[in-house]
Amino acid sequence: PFTSDELMKRIDDIKKNIPRDDINGGQQTESRASDNEGGQATSQCRKHDEIVNEAVSLYRSIGPRKEILREGRLVPEHIRNPLLEILKNLCWQVPNERKHLNAERYLTLPTNVSNDRFYGDLRQACRDLMQWTDKSYFYSGIAVTKNFVASPHIDDRDRSYQYAISLGDFEGGELCVEGRMYDEESEKFEDFINVVKTRNRIARVEGRHIHWVRSWDGGDCYSLIFYDTTERFATPVIDTGVCVNNLQDLE
């Protein structure tokens, strides 16, 4: 769930970009500010609920955000097929490393490990994939999941963009990433959602923007996220939420 600070920032951004007559949550904002001296846990929860209601009201006022359909680069079969077979036969850790995540299986592979007798084949297959994708990209770890459904969240430890791919016999499961772009004609920032097809495709996306995974139908869905949490090759946040030069837009 979003923090109160994140929600308040969104509320302020919305109010800057829509006519005042269209704002339905002004009174809630004033109420929120006037009793901000609480401190009790119950009071904080109540205030958070009030802020959530105000944000929802404002989003209803402006209507659905624009969605931009995109797809990643298609990975050759000779790279993705062996990787999928490894994932299907993988000996997963029990229990999952991150219990709070909604995934049947989840593990992370840090790159500063040598002679991995459990996941050596998977590591090599991932290296082959990234050699084809982006030889210059440094990743400090790989998040490996099976049947992962992600609620909106931010990977706040990231110091650079991510690469994402999903594999398996399924339909749906698009990766959604929030983006923002300045519209010179209206002289306002435009918020939108990138809806990225990653099945058998790899995409450069911004994990430091709010993102989530849509549900899917069919068989098992395996996903790999390559990320960097070090300061070694830190990069600026991608405002658009994805690297548009790395993706293809869909009609």
Side-chain angles (χ1 to χ4, degrees), residues 72-87:
R73 293 174 58 200
L74 182 64
V75 177
E77 289 187 1
H78 74 273
I79 295 177
R80 70 174 192 259
N81 286 351
L83 181 53
L84 177 58
E85 286 304 309
I86 292 172
L87 291 170

Side-chain angles (χ1 to χ4, degrees), residues 217-228:
D217 296 313
D220 292 327
C221 172
Y222 301 91
S223 64
L224 298 167
I225 304 294
F226 297 81
Y227 61 87
D228 181 18

Side-chain angles (χ1 to χ4, degrees), residues 115-183:
N115 299 323
D116 187 343
R117 60 192 181 94
F118 296 107
Y119 302 112
D121 290 344
L122 176 58
R123 289 178 181 277
Q124 184 57 56
C126 288
R127 283 193 288 268
D128 293 340
L129 171 62
M130 293 310 296
Q131 276 291 108
W132 176 84
T133 303
D134 185 350
K135 294 180 180 180
S136 64
Y137 178 68
F138 174 81
Y139 53 98
S140 62
I142 311 166
V144 187
T145 65
K146 178 182 179 181
N147 297 335
F148 177 53
V149 178
S151 58
H153 66 284
I154 295 175
D155 296 322
D156 54 6
R157 294 181 59 195
D158 282 7
R159 294 297 177 263
S160 185
Y161 50 83
Q162 303 176 343
Y163 276 100
I165 182 175
S166 59
L167 300 166
D169 185 17
F170 63 91
E171 295 292 333
E174 294 87 357
L175 176 61
C176 299
V177 187
E178 290 188 348
R180 166 173 274 208
M181 184 180 297
Y182 186 74
D183 183 12

Side-chain angles (χ1 to χ4, degrees), residues 32-89:
R32 183 190 71 210
S34 63
D35 63 0
N36 198 33
E37 300 296 327
Q40 299 293 331
T42 54
S43 176
Q44 291 176 346
C45 290
R46 178 173 55 81
K47 289 175 185 175
H48 182 77
D49 289 343
E50 291 175 356
I51 296 170
V52 169
N53 291 334
E54 182 179 358
V56 170
S57 176
L58 287 170
Y59 274 116
R60 284 176 177 166
S61 297
I62 63 177
R65 285 178 290 176
K66 176 182 178 182
E67 293 186 353
I68 302 179
L69 304 181
R70 308 183 191 272
E71 63 181 8
R73 293 174 58 200
L74 182 64
V75 177
E77 289 187 1
H78 74 273
I79 295 177
R80 70 174 192 259
N81 286 351
L83 181 53
L84 177 58
E85 286 304 309
I86 292 172
L87 291 170
K88 286 181 177 179
N89 296 287

